[in-house]
Amino acid sequence: MKKSLEDANVSLSSTFEELRRRSRFIETILTNISTGVIVIDRAGRIAMINKVAELILSIKTDKVLGKPYKEVVREEHYETVRTLSREVGETPGRKVERQVDLSVRGKEISLRVSVTSLTGDDGEYMGLVVAFDDLSQAMRLQRIMAWREVARRIAHEIRNPLTPIQLSTERLQKKFAPSHDHDPAFSECTQTILSEVGSLKSLVEEFTRFARMPAPAFKEGNLVEELRPIVETFRAAHSGIAWEFEEEEIPTVWFDPFQIRRAVTNLLENAASALGGQGRVVVRVAHEPVLGSVRVSVQDDGPGIPADDRDRLFEPYFSRKEGGTGLGLAIVSAIASDHQGTVVVRDNTPRGAVFEIEIPVRPKRRG
Ligand SMILES: Nc1ncnc2c1ncn2[C@@H]1O[C@H](COP(=O)(O)OP(=O)(O)OP(=O)(O)O)[C@@H](O)[C@H]1O
Ligand SMILES: [Mg+2]
């Protein structure tokens, strides 16, 4: 009797352990996928929200967990949610997909939402799973592609006449300067033309570099070793800022060293200028085994990003800086997507901004 009780006990605790392991596994997946997931139980209460859903919808899990979703949904979103849940109904396994445009804290977002009705083994209704992807990222990419094309054409149209303007002005100078040396206007004007042509040329250069970003030349390598020297350089150049480099054990990664260095340098430059010479920047390299990706995050305790700017931050030519090109983050975004990855920004706590570049350890073959 005692023996069989013990056996039962052992088998029970191993079953529990197995259950716990599985639920941890599922939790890890739900935390790490880039899709927002909300689970609603059969009584219409919110049973689970993952991190991405929190971020996309800007909600706090502890405020809404266990509450009826009808109470939690904001008034302006209520109609959308009601239509979707009515369409799915309580029909077993039924799934409805829609593109939904919402405004969250004044920011317009575009989501692809899929709602699935959950059923138990015996066919009874168990609740709903709502999964959604932020399409804004994909749309941002499209905008960047369009901008690249514009930049390419502008660069082309401007560059062509610049050299003849420069050469003709130099010729004028040579030919007429000796006979006009009593008139300062002549040399001033020709000098102005030459220096303006010079700045147009460097602008065109910037445009061209952005428009013609070559496809990444992937190499397998050590990302940490690639990034550490960059942080060292910034440490030497900005001594008022505490530069920290935190690394995890990460596998070798396939990436274009030149481009990834360029992307991270852009983020560090932005952090340094946001801090204005004083503060703390933490660069972290982490491995996400479940997703098969690595993440480089750059965290500063500067002023952070105003909510109104957030949408346009990655757009080319958006800058709040005097003399800024606004190409920095557009380039970061293009490099991340050329590596089949993403870049996102979020608020740092208690203050500042965090930029995260996430790329797969090994890119998928395209085509
Ligand atoms: N870490 C940060 N903290 C606060 N604001 C930031 C941060 N990084 C970027 N920004 C904001 O995003 C804007 C766009 O950045 P981006 O790198 O694209 O261009 P830029 O830095 O203005 O110009 P450039 O890169 O040519 O110097 C910045 O002007 C700034 O307002
Ligand atoms: Mg910048």
Side-chain angles (χ1 to χ4, degrees), residues 4 16 57 77 96 111 122 166 196 200 210 264 307 316 348 366-367:
S4 66
F16 265 136
L57 297 178
H77 302 155
V96 173
L111 301 177
D122 48 4
Q166 183 191 346
E196 292 298 323
L200 272 175
F210 171 63
V264 173
N348 187 21
R366 290 206 162 129

Side-chain angles (χ1 to χ4, degrees), residues 266-267 269-270 273 321 324-329:
N266 271 317
L267 295 183
E269 268 169 9
N270 284 348
S273 82
K321 288 176 207 164
T325 63
L327 286 178
L329 288 176

Side-chain angles (χ1 to χ4, degrees), residues 300-305 310 346-354:
D300 69 61
D301 59 356
I305 315 284
R310 195 156 297 208
R346 53 185 177 80
D347 288 331
N348 187 21
T349 41
R351 60 195 304 261
V354 186

Side-chain angles (χ1 to χ4, degrees), residues 22 59 82 86 130 138 162 242 263 356:
R22 281 197 201 181
I59 41 177
R82 210 171 56 154
R86 214 187 270 147
V130 185
L162 284 183
E356 291 180 338

Side-chain angles (χ1 to χ4, degrees), residues 19-31:
L19 264 177
R20 222 174 281 144
R21 210 179 53 75
R22 281 197 201 181
S23 97
R24 260 202 310 270
F25 180 66
I26 292 172
E27 253 170 49
T28 314
I29 293 178
L30 285 176
T31 317

Side-chain angles (χ1 to χ4, degrees), residues 8 27 34 60 74 106 108 130 157 212 215 243 245 264 273 277 301 305:
E27 253 170 49
S34 58
K60 289 260 175 287
R74 283 187 207 107
E108 301 301 322
V130 185
E157 293 308 308
R212 282 224 203 101
W243 298 90
F245 188 62
V264 173
S273 82
D301 59 356
I305 315 284

